[in-house]
């Protein structure tokens, strides 16, 4: 069950030649794949490319009609390995995943693919996750393209350009016998626009043709002596073919300006932000017409020496806009110009930050520095700044009262009680070494839990804890999510600990989906998925690789049970890996699934009950232990109604989804009895109304009695 459905939008994929296609870039990429005659697509979800997997899933019936095979891959390595089909056969294939982590996982398959080369077009669509909106380490795909000699396209964030680059990417791959990477930044993935569609194409050479006529060419294997020939082939034939194709097909774009002695060169993905910054500075108009000539690199690797020489000839300086570090393109351009004996000054990281995302504000500052140095007459005169004398005082007050809010679990998240229980266990057994993993549970490293020493990769939590195998009565704890478990954790964490007889505790968080990437189904998902095989228990898998001590908690909100099970795992005499599977459905996905059903039931007139929780203001002492142990966003503070007490009380706001964790934590920690549960009933029955009248009468009686006592007192 994905974060959202594209079932309505995918109907547009049927549009034919001459019709206008409108939509988000991710949808346009899918249409471009079908127009290109793709035979198979594989992929692993991950922002900002997750929605492409969701679109392909929703479009699967249409894909089958066109003879296209779509696979939701076990991980990025499996997705990339599928491109082996294009090595021997003239079949076009694509794979997709998040970069750079996905590229890292897939590196072995991609390196082998790049060595032997391809016969059919092979396209790797990566979501370039760099900058402030990123959830991962700050790295770029560019280095990998250079390392393995794969061509890298970075299209201008315009749906027509993106569609063109998909189609041209397959052609470039085939003409140079090299896999092509197409990187889409987060803003490019979600840009909206339109283009004129073409007919979808059924592959001329089918997968059945490949099965019926197997082709074997051992010279494509990455084995000596063939690998030495591959390297020679890359430089002598594939590279020149790629450069010639880029030139002939005008992959890179040139935009004229009114001046001729300066210019701007940029990665394609930087175009929209740069033009907006230029418009603010008066260097471009609102329609994107620049006063300075622009050279847009929709192909950032390989670079075309002749195009740079032509663009830079006669210019005193160019500004090279290359996001991230190292500055690979800037170094290469300096080499190109010096070899051509062109003395054009290359400004890049000299006026722009070496690292970090190039937002509009960052680009505006860099462009202003460049223009001030080389073309100050083009800059719009600055408007006088209006000063507000009260602003510094206001900012100072704001800074004192507004606290930074770290990312945390969603309201009702079933993972929160797991770490509340772990905090309680720490009070008994002492500090724990917790090897973290990739996924929602990574938030446990932050407040209020402050658990976790390091994370080394998706599904690798168990391997990260293994070197500290139990000694001196202490055991390390590892956390792995169900998504990471099926990604590669079954072997790399569980199997690794079994084989090495690691004496530790591994906590597998099972929330039913690959939740952090948008709620995609996995092998252990509980639902029936028509096109996938699900309902494969994690417990069965871990026992299958040799784990003997396994406990399965089917309701993580039972904090006391979670605490007791963790204590048992940490103190039992049993040696070897101990696995706790903590299962409860991801609350976001549960709400997406349940809320529409509840709305329909209410419309039908059915009785529907929704649980909510509250805090008794008269009972709450205001110590806020519940907030410190759970951190739920629906818990906040409110003024104390008792004039004799100054501490604010805890209050539960309307975002509460009724998971009950706050009360469970309070009772497991023996903290306070102030939590109460209330049931909101739509379409109540006569019995419900009768019980409510009785409750009102009884409560009213005691309230009036109490009021009389207070008056007489």
């Amino acid at each position: 069950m994905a974060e959202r459905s594209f079932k309505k939008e995918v109907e547009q994929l049927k549009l034919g030649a001459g019709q206008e296609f409108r939509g988000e870039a991710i949808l346009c990429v899918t249409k471009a794949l079908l127009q290109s005659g793709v035979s198979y697509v594989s992929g692993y979800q991950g922002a900002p490319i997750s929605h492409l997997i969701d679109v392909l899933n929703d479009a699967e019936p249409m894909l089958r009609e066109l003879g296209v095979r779509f696979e939701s891959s076990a991980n990025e390595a499996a997705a990339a390995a599928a491109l082996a089909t294009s090595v021997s056969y003239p079949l076009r294939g694509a794979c997709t995943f998040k970069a750079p982590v996905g590229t890292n996982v897939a590196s072995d398959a991609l390196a082998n693919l790049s060595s032997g080369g391809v016969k059919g077009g092979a396209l790797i669509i990566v979501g370039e996750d760099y900058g402030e909106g990123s959830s991962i380490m700050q790295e770029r795909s560019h280095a990998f393209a250079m390392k393995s000699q794969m061509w890298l396209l970075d299209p201008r964030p315009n749906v027509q350009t993106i569609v063109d680059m998909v189609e041209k990417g397959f052609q470039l791959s085939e003409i140079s016998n090299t896999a092509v990477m197409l990187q889409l930044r987060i803003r490019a993935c979600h840009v909206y626009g339109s283009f004129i569609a073409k007919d979808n194409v059924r592959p001329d050479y089918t997968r059945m043709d490949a099965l019926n006529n197997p082709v074997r060419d051992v010279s494509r294997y990455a084995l000596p002596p063939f690998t030495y020939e591959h390297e020679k082939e890359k430089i002598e034939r594939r590279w020149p073919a790629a450069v010639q194709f880029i030139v002939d097909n005008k992959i890179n774009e040139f935009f004229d300006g009114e001046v001729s002695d300066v210019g701007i060169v940029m990665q394609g993905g930087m175009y929209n932000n740069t033009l907006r910054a230029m418009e603010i500075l008066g260097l471009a108009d609102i329609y994107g017409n620049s006063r300075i000539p622009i050279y847009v690199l929709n192909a950032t690797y390989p670079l075309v020496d002749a195009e740079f020489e032509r663009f830079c000839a006669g210019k005193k300086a160019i500004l090279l806009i290359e996001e991230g570090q190292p500055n690979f393109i800037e170094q290469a351009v300096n080499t190109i110009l010096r070899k051509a004996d062109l003395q054009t000054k290359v400004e890049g990281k000299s006026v722009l930050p070496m690292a970090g995302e190039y937002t509009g504000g960052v680009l505006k500052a860099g462009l202003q520095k460049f223009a001030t140095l080389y073309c100050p007459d083009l800059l719009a005169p600055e408007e006088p700044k209006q000063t507000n004398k009260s602003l510094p005082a206001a900012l100072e007050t704001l800074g004192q009262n507004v606290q930074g809010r770290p990312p945390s679990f969603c309201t009702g998240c079933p993972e929160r009680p797991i770490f509340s229980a772990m905090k309680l266990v720490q009070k008994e057994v002492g500090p724990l070494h917790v090897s973290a993993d990739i996924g929602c549970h990574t938030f446990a490293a932050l407040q209020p839990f402050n658990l976790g020493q390091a994370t080394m990769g998706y599904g690798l939590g168990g391997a990260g804890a293994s070197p500290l195998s139990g000694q001196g009565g202490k055991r390390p704890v590892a956390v792995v999510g169900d998504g990471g478990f099926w990604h590669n954790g079954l072997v790399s964490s569980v199997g690794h600990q079994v084989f090495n007889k690691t004496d530790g505790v591994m906590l597998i968080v099972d929330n039913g989906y690959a939740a952090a990437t948008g709620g995609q189904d996995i092998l252990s998902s509980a639902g029936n998925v028509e096109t996938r095989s699900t309902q494969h228990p994690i417990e069965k898998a871990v026992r299958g690789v040799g784990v003997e001590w396994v406990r399965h908690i089917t309701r993580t909100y039972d904090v006391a049970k979670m605490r007791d099970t963790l204590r048992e795992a940490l103190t039992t005499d049993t040696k070897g890996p101990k696995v706790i599977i903590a299962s409860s459905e991801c609350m976001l996905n549960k709400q997406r699934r349940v809320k529409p059903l509840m709305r329909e039931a209410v419309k039908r007139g059915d009785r529907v009950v929704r649980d909510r929780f509250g805090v008794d203001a008269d009972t709450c002492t205001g110590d806020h232990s519940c907030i410190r142990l759970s951190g739920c966003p629906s818990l906040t503070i409110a003024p104390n109604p008792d004039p004799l007490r100054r501490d604010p009380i805890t209050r539960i706001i309307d975002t509460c989804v009724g998971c009950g964790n706050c009360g469970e934590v309070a009772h497991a920690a023996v903290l306070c009895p102030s939590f109460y549960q209330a049931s909101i009933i739509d379409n109540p029955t006569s019995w419900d109304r009768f019980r409510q009248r009785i409750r009102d009468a009884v409560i009213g009686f005691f309230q009036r009695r109490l009021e009389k006592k207070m008056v007489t007192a």
Side-chain angles (χ1 to χ4, degrees), residues 115-419:
S115 185
V118 295
K119 182 180 291 185
L123 192 67
I124 301 111
I125 304 168
V126 296
E128 190 76 352
D129 199 9
Y130 181 86
E132 292 178 4
S134 171
S135 60
I136 45 86
M137 72 288 289
Q138 299 294 280
E139 293 184 355
R140 298 166 56 196
S141 302
H142 199 100
F144 192 92
M146 295 170 64
K147 174 193 80 71
S148 291
Q149 297 291 279
M150 301 169 68
W151 317 139
L152 180 61
L153 301 180
D154 186 0
R156 190 160 53 95
N158 165 285
V159 294
Q160 182 65 68
T161 304
I162 291 170
V163 168
D164 290 344
M165 290 304 107
V166 172
E167 296 175 346
K168 296 293 185 184
F170 281 116
Q171 297 172 26
L172 172 60
S173 175
E174 288 165 347
I175 205 163
S176 63
N177 302 115
T178 303
V180 172
M181 296 179 74
L182 175 76
Q183 71 173 43
L184 297 174
R185 290 173 172 81
I186 188 166
R187 290 178 177 84
C189 286
H190 300 300
V191 71
Y192 276 77
S194 65
F195 67 96
I196 303 303
K198 301 174 185 175
D199 290 332
N200 295 332
V201 176
R202 290 184 65 88
D204 292 330
Y205 187 91
T206 67
R207 291 179 290 114
M208 183 57 71
D209 292 331
L211 284 170
N212 290 333
N213 302 281
V215 174
R216 182 173 176 275
D217 182 359
V218 72
S219 69
R220 295 299 95 197
Y221 275 60
L223 288 172
F226 310 118
T227 47
Y228 313 128
E229 289 299 320
H230 296 167
E231 285 298 285
K232 185 179 179 182
E233 185 181 280
K234 285 178 183 179
I235 301 304
E236 294 182 357
R237 187 178 64 77
R238 296 192 213 167
W239 186 308
V243 169
Q244 193 61 51
F245 180 89
I246 291 168
V247 172
D248 293 345
N249 289 271
K250 298 181 172 58
I251 299 296
N252 297 322
E253 299 174 281
F254 295 87
F255 298 93
D256 292 330
E258 63 186 62
V259 297
S260 59
D261 60 346
V262 293
I264 297 175
V265 182
M266 69 183 74
Q267 297 164 299
M270 291 287 96
Y271 182 83
N272 290 8
N273 277 9
T274 302
L275 264 291
R276 172 57 179 155
M278 292 178 71
E279 188 262 323
I280 293 171
L281 292 169
L283 301 175
D285 62 24
I286 59 172
Y287 304 105
N289 299 310
S290 172
R291 301 175 69 188
I292 300 175
I294 293 176
Y295 176 24
V296 179
L297 300 173
N298 290 316
T300 53
Y301 189 79
L303 299 176
V304 181
D305 293 18
E307 288 186 350
F308 271 98
E309 292 168 15
R310 187 172 72 250
F311 182 76
C312 294
K315 290 182 172 60
K316 58 186 177 184
I318 62 167
L319 173 61
L320 181 59
I321 299 175
E322 176 185 8
E323 186 178 56
Q325 54 84 30
N327 53 345
F328 300 116
I329 300 175
E330 186 176 339
Q331 294 176 39
V333 171
N334 272 298
T335 301
I336 292 169
L337 298 184
R338 298 301 86 83
K339 281 186 175 180
D341 198 25
L342 289 171
Q343 302 309 309
T344 304
K345 177 76 172 175
V346 179
E347 301 282 4
K349 302 298 184 183
S350 52
V351 296
L352 287 162
M354 186 66 185
E357 184 178 3
Y358 282 2
T359 60
V362 169
L363 288 167
K364 176 176 174 288
L367 284 160
Q368 190 166 30
K369 289 178 185 176
F370 175 77
T372 300
L373 287 171
Y374 297 102
C375 51
D377 53 311
L378 294 182
L379 287 171
E382 286 193 48
E383 296 181 5
K385 295 180 180 178
Q386 294 182 347
T387 59
N388 185 341
K389 294 182 180 179
S390 65
L391 191 58
L395 289 174
E396 184 178 346
T397 303
L398 195 66
Q400 291 172 354
N401 291 280
V402 177
Q403 300 299 315
R405 184 176 180 180
S408 185
F409 300 103
C410 302
T411 300
C413 176
E415 300 189 21
R416 182 177 286 106
I418 296 172
F419 298 104

Side-chain angles (χ1 to χ4, degrees), residues 440-459:
C440 299
H441 43 272
T442 313
F443 294 142
L446 307 175
Q447 297 174 356
F449 303 109
N450 302 309
L451 291 164
Q453 270 62 32
T455 177
M456 299 306 294
Y458 204 24

Side-chain angles (χ1 to χ4, degrees), residues 385-571:
K385 295 180 180 178
Q386 294 182 347
T387 59
N388 185 341
K389 294 182 180 179
S390 65
L391 191 58
L395 289 174
E396 184 178 346
T397 303
L398 195 66
Q400 291 172 354
N401 291 280
V402 177
Q403 300 299 315
R405 184 176 180 180
S408 185
F409 300 103
C410 302
T411 300
C413 176
E415 300 189 21
R416 182 177 286 106
I418 296 172
F419 298 104
S420 295
M422 199 176 292
K423 292 289 285 186
L424 295 174
V425 169
Q426 276 197 142
K427 288 185 175 182
E428 302 176 30
V429 302
L432 296 172
H433 175 90
V434 180
S435 177
D437 208 288
I438 304 298
C440 299
H441 43 272
T442 313
F443 294 142
L446 307 175
Q447 297 174 356
F449 303 109
N450 302 309
L451 291 164
Q453 270 62 32
T455 177
M456 299 306 294
Y458 204 24
L460 301 179
S466 196
L468 297 178
S469 178
Q471 50 192 323
K474 295 286 288 186
R475 287 170 176 150
V477 177
V479 181
V480 179
D482 49 355
F485 173 82
W486 292 116
H487 181 274
N488 70 4
L490 177 58
V491 173
S492 299
S493 280
V494 182
H496 174 88
Q497 288 204 0
V498 170
F499 185 70
N500 290 286
K501 296 185 176 180
T502 301
D503 188 19
V505 179
M506 198 178 318
L507 182 64
I508 300 176
V509 181
D510 172 24
N511 51 35
Y513 311 90
T517 60
Q520 291 79 15
D521 287 296
I522 52 179
L523 278 160
S524 51
S525 292
N528 287 309
V529 183
E530 182 183 352
T531 58
R532 300 289 180 265
S533 177
T534 56
Q535 302 180 27
H536 298 283
I538 291 175
E539 182 174 356
K540 190 174 181 180
V542 299
R543 290 191 184 278
V545 296
V547 179
E548 296 179 358
W549 195 102
V550 182
R551 300 291 184 270
H552 188 186
I553 296 174
T554 57
R555 181 177 173 272
T556 63
Y557 299 103
D558 189 341
V559 177
K561 188 172 183 179
M562 279 296 316
R563 176 200 59 199
D564 295 344
T565 307
L566 278 164
R567 184 198 299 118
E568 181 190 357
L570 289 163
T571 58

Side-chain angles (χ1 to χ4, degrees), residues 85-100:
T85 308
S86 293
V87 171
S88 301
Y89 307 102
L91 291 169
R92 287 185 169 181
C95 72
T96 180
F97 41 74
K98 171 194 187 88

